[in-house]
Structure formats: structure tokens, C-alpha cells
Amino acid sequence: MLQSKLRLSNIFRSSSLLLERWYHCASFQSTNASSLPILEKVYSFQNQFHLDLNTPMVQSVRWRRPLGIKRAKIPHKARALAIELTYEKYNYPLAGLPASETCINAVKAKYVKKEEDNPFEKILAREFLEEVKAGQMFVVGHMHPCTAEELFEQRVLLHRNNMKYLFHNENIAKLAFTGTKYESLLHLYVMFSINIVCYDKDFSKLLKLERQLPFLTILGVVVEDRILSVADLKRAAELPSLPLMHATLLQTLTSQQQTLTRQLNAQQTELAGALQRYSEMSHAETASSTPPSES
Amino acid sequence: MALPFTNWGSVSRSAGLLSALGKQVKLLNYGGADRITVSFDPFTEKQQVFTIRSILSYLNQHKRRITNPKCALRTNILCDRSLPSVHVQLIDGSEVLFKTENLTTLEFLTNFNHMVSAKAPKKQEVAVVLTKAEKAAAVGGAKKKWK
């Protein structure tokens, strides 16, 4: 009890001494009316508990806890109040400045050196672009989390279907596609992106593979210098094959000419048919009327 | 006057965004969900796509999917500039729609755990009753190992 009283008295003594000093300094510079009530409050509080000024100013506490930064001891309310009252308050040094000067990232950007492009990354980007150009279709997808074994099985399945899985990250893709016709694809390279090069133009096979590969979600496909979305891909897969479509087109184009020729030749064909039927009938009659010859 | 200390109990520091994300991901449970559909247009704003794709990767983790193998997780890739969303169909018939265009990954996971993972059925611990012979065999086996 005595120790706690002594501690309290020291807190208030030190705080009151500091306040006095502060008050005297303030009085030379400017009259701060708000300081007076606080000082009076402190003195009245002190007098209420009949606390006297005791020496020495510094008192050692017997069971002091070790200093901890990670788990600091929260002070008692009275101590916190004293700290709040007595600690010096400085003006914010960056007051009034715009965000371009106060934002730490803006300031850092001025002084941090821009990383130079890695020459090996440039080589990889060039090779990546060559491989993309060599294929018939280029697929960009999102990769779900999977183990290395599952990824290997995926790669084997792709290889069996005449496709190639390319290991390149977003930086390499950025270096490869910037300034080329594939620049619009960079929107898809956000995170967990995968690249697949197909050497066939078979959309239905690609969609079937997507169902077999649970770790792949197709985001976009590049075919014949065009970017197809997933909906476009599905529509293209439902279309019949090209020779069949050519035949249908030809049939549509020639249908009018065929009907015209049919109509022009209708009378001749009917006459020819009638004559043939007549000749067949007459042959049949002569064969039935003549008796068989006796040898 | 506002004092800087408002918590007069113990003090603990936050370990950062990644640990907060990790904590929320560990709490994910699809026990109450029947179907989860993630829809987004990959060609929209980069920040929105970043969020939804990170959400997609967290939701597709194997350890989260085995909480309910029957829960179907579908990805719907759109091309109509629509905003990203996550639609959850719960077992009790209710539905929850998360519109993620202005949500961060942590906010989504926190709300998902609050609305969906909280409805997962809790595991009931079954008390295993051993007979005398089984107990003796277990003790004898343990003793043999130490030899």
C-alpha cells in the first residue's frame, strides 16, 4: 500500500513538475489559458490524497517486469493520463503538403532505381513468342491449385492430344507480347495463368479436354489472329466441318440453276420416257404373238 | 480526453494480411453448401479480376473441397462485361450472392465464413468404448514398442 502510494506520489510529482516547467515556458511564449485548469486539477487531486513532495525523484521498484516490446504492458489509467499530459506534442511535419509528396510510394518511386530487364528473361520471352506462333491455337487459362503429380498427369494428357504446356509467368508473357498482335491477351495474365499451344484446330477436342482437366479453366483462345472467348469457342465447336459447309454453300448457290435446267428439259425427258415405254410394250406384244419355231 | 490505450487487458499484435487470409482460408467449410458458382469476365477491370481469381484459387484448394466432396464448384467464364460474383446455393434451400467488384479477398472470405461456413454441420465426437482385452492389448503394444 505504501509502495503504491509512493509510486503515485512520484507520478504526480514528476507530472506536476513537468507541467510547471511547461507552464512557465508557455507563459514566456504565449498565454495558454487551457494550461491553467489542468494544473489546478493536478494540484487539487494531489491535495485530496494529502500527498507531499518526496525525494528522491527516481525510485527503484522492486518487482519490475522486464521490458517487453512485443507484448508491452498497458499502463494504469492514471499513468496513461500523466503520459498523455506530459509527453511533448510535435506538429505533423508533413502538414499541408499534397499527396504526391506525402505518399511514401510516390517518394520511393523517385529514389528507387528501376530494375533493369533481365537478358535471360528476354531470351525466354522470344522463345515463348516463337512457340506461340508455331501452333494453330493458343490457349490462355487459369490454373487451380494442384500438386506436382497432378500437373504432370495433366501435361501427359495434353501431350497425347497434340498440345504443349508452356511454363512461363506473367513477366515473360508481358515481355513477349508487348508491341505484338497478342498485346490484348495481357489482360488475362493477372495471376495463376497457364499457356497451352495446340497444333490442331479442333475446338470440340479442346472443350472435351477442359472437362477432363479439373485444374484448368479456359479464359481465352487465339485462333487465326483472333481472340475467341469461351462462348465463341463453344459456338465454333457446334459448327459442322468445313468441307460439309462448302458443300452446303455450293448446293445453295447452284439450286436455282438446277431447277431451271430441270424445267427446260422436262418435256424432252417426258417424251423420251413415253417412247421408251411404248417400245417396251410393242416388243412384248410381238414376242407373245409369234409361235415358237419347230426344229 | 482520448487516451491511446483503450484495452486494459492483454496486448497482441496482428501478424499481417497474409496470416489473416490464411486464418480465414482455414475456416472455409462447404458442409452447408450444395453448389458454388464463380462467374466473371476475364477482360474487365484488372483489380476486380485479380480479386475474383484469387478467390477462385482459395476456394479450389483440395483441403477445402474435401470438407464437402458433394459440393459442386463451378467456374462460369463470361464475355458480356458483367461484374464478378460468387453464387452459393445452400443445402437448406437458401442462396447467397456475393458481388465482389468492390470487395477485397479478405472481406469476401470473412463474409463467406460468416454466412456459409457457419452453416456447416458440426462434427460430433463419438466416445469410443474399449473392452478390457482391447485396453490391455493397447497398453501391451505400447510397452513392447519401448523395449
Side-chain angles (χ1 to χ4, degrees):
Chain A
M1 184 66 183
L2 181 67
Q3 261 188 350
S4 57
K5 257 195 180 174
L6 282 168
R7 254 179 258 163
L8 256 173
S9 71
N10 270 314
I11 287 164
F12 282 106
R13 188 177 63 88
S14 54
S15 63
S16 61
L17 278 169
L18 281 164
L19 267 170
E20 274 181 50
R21 229 178 282 160
W22 174 58
Y23 173 62
H24 284 300
C25 292
S27 64
F28 278 119
Q29 289 168 21
S30 63
T31 49
N32 196 349
S34 61
S35 66
L36 285 168
I38 297 164
L39 203 64
E40 277 179 14
K41 274 183 192 170
V42 169
Y43 281 137
S44 65
F45 195 73
Q46 221 173 355
N47 288 330
Q48 194 182 352
F49 285 100
H50 305 290
L51 297 168
D52 302 319
L53 295 172
N54 288 318
T55 53
M57 200 159 163
V58 176
Q59 184 188 13
S60 61
V61 178
R62 195 174 173 182
W63 294 288
R64 185 185 287 282
R65 259 178 64 161
L67 282 176
I69 295 167
K70 285 187 181 176
R71 212 178 280 179
K73 185 187 167 189
I74 296 175
H76 190 271
K77 219 168 188 177
R79 189 186 172 93
L81 186 72
I83 287 165
E84 186 66 20
L85 282 172
T86 56
Y87 274 28
E88 292 179 38
K89 287 186 170 75
Y90 297 100
N91 288 327
Y92 181 56
L94 302 175
L97 292 172
S100 57
E101 289 182 43
T102 57
C103 173
I104 197 160
N105 290 330
V107 171
K108 259 190 195 174
K110 285 181 200 171
Y111 296 103
V112 169
K113 281 184 192 172
K114 198 184 171 184
E115 284 177 16
E116 289 174 7
D117 290 334
N118 192 339
F120 183 56
E121 279 189 350
K122 284 183 183 172
I123 295 167
L124 287 174
R126 197 175 60 231
E127 286 175 2
F128 177 50
L129 190 61
E130 282 168 8
E131 286 190 42
V132 166
K133 284 179 180 174
Q136 295 282 327
M137 284 201 300
F138 177 59
V139 182
V140 181
H142 178 90
M143 179 74 144
H144 299 300
C146 64
T147 60
E149 284 175 6
E150 286 159 350
L151 180 62
F152 181 73
E153 284 165 18
Q154 239 184 132
R155 284 178 63 201
V156 165
L157 191 63
L158 287 169
H159 184 73
R160 281 181 187 158
N161 285 281
N162 203 15
M163 295 181 191
K164 191 175 179 183
Y165 180 93
L166 299 176
F167 284 101
H168 291 293
N169 62 7
E170 282 83 36
N171 281 338
I172 303 292
K174 212 173 178 180
L175 281 171
F177 293 155
T178 308
T180 63
K181 59 186 176 185
Y182 302 102
E183 199 166 353
S184 308
L185 279 178
L186 290 174
H187 282 287
L188 303 176
Y189 287 92
V190 173
M191 60 182 341
F192 303 121
S193 309
I194 57 165
N195 317 292
I196 298 169
V197 174
C198 310
Y199 299 103
D200 298 326
K201 259 191 227 174
D202 197 344
F203 302 121
S204 53
K205 186 171 81 170
L206 183 64
L207 288 168
K208 239 186 243 178
L209 263 178
E210 198 198 358
R211 274 179 245 130
Q212 289 174 14
L213 296 169
F215 310 106
L216 166 68
T217 300
I218 295 174
L219 298 176
V221 177
V222 177
V223 177
E224 290 176 3
D225 298 344
R226 279 184 201 140
I227 297 173
L228 297 180
S229 62
V230 176
D232 294 335
L233 191 70
K234 285 177 183 169
R235 239 177 280 134
E238 283 166 10
L239 291 170
S241 64
L242 199 62
L244 188 67
M245 290 183 82
H246 282 158
T248 319
L249 180 67
L250 274 168
Q251 193 193 6
T252 325
L253 288 170
T254 56
S255 62
Q256 289 298 319
Q257 287 138 7
Q258 282 175 0
T259 48
L260 182 69
T261 49
R262 207 181 316 117
Q263 278 167 5
L264 286 170
N265 295 329
Q267 284 181 351
Q268 284 100 318
T269 48
E270 201 181 322
L271 182 66
L275 284 169
Q276 196 175 0
R277 280 195 299 273
Y278 180 75
S279 69
E280 281 170 7
M281 274 168 65
S282 56
H283 275 296
E285 277 176 11
T286 49
S288 60
S289 61
T290 53
S293 56
E294 290 177 1
S295 56
Chain B
M1 160 195 306
L3 292 172
F5 308 104
T6 53
N7 184 3
W8 302 98
S10 61
V11 176
S12 62
R13 285 190 184 181
S14 155
L17 174 66
L18 288 173
S19 56
L21 278 169
K23 181 190 167 187
Q24 293 301 326
V25 168
K26 279 181 189 169
L27 292 171
L28 283 174
N29 195 323
Y30 303 154
D34 189 38
R35 191 184 189 87
I36 301 172
T37 309
V38 180
S39 311
F40 68 100
D41 183 352
F43 286 100
T44 46
E45 246 185 76
K46 200 167 183 178
Q47 188 55 43
Q48 291 176 8
V49 175
F50 184 87
T51 309
I52 195 76
R53 282 177 75 172
S54 66
I55 286 166
L56 191 60
S57 63
Y58 284 129
L59 291 176
N60 266 294
Q61 285 185 0
H62 174 69
K63 282 190 178 176
R64 308 281 69 88
R65 295 194 78 166
I66 57 172
T67 53
N68 185 5
K70 290 181 186 174
C71 176
L73 186 57
R74 296 274 177 266
T75 311
N76 197 12
I77 306 295
L78 308 164
C79 59
D80 51 2
R81 304 277 179 176
S82 54
L83 298 167
S85 64
V86 179
H87 182 252
V88 183
Q89 221 164 334
L90 298 167
I91 288 171
D92 58 6
S94 57
E95 294 175 5
V96 184
L97 178 68
F98 294 93
K99 294 184 181 178
T100 61
E101 72 259 22
N102 291 320
L103 289 177
T104 61
T105 314
L106 183 62
E107 284 167 356
F108 168 80
L109 289 172
T110 315
N111 284 301
F112 187 93
N113 284 328
H114 178 65
M115 289 183 190
V116 179
S117 303
K119 293 187 179 175
K122 286 172 188 171
K123 279 185 189 176
Q124 288 177 352
E125 285 182 12
V126 179
V128 179
V129 179
L130 293 172
T131 58
K132 255 188 184 176
E134 282 170 355
K135 277 185 196 171
V139 169
K143 276 187 181 171
K144 275 180 191 172
K145 275 181 195 172
W146 281 110
K147 281 180 185 173

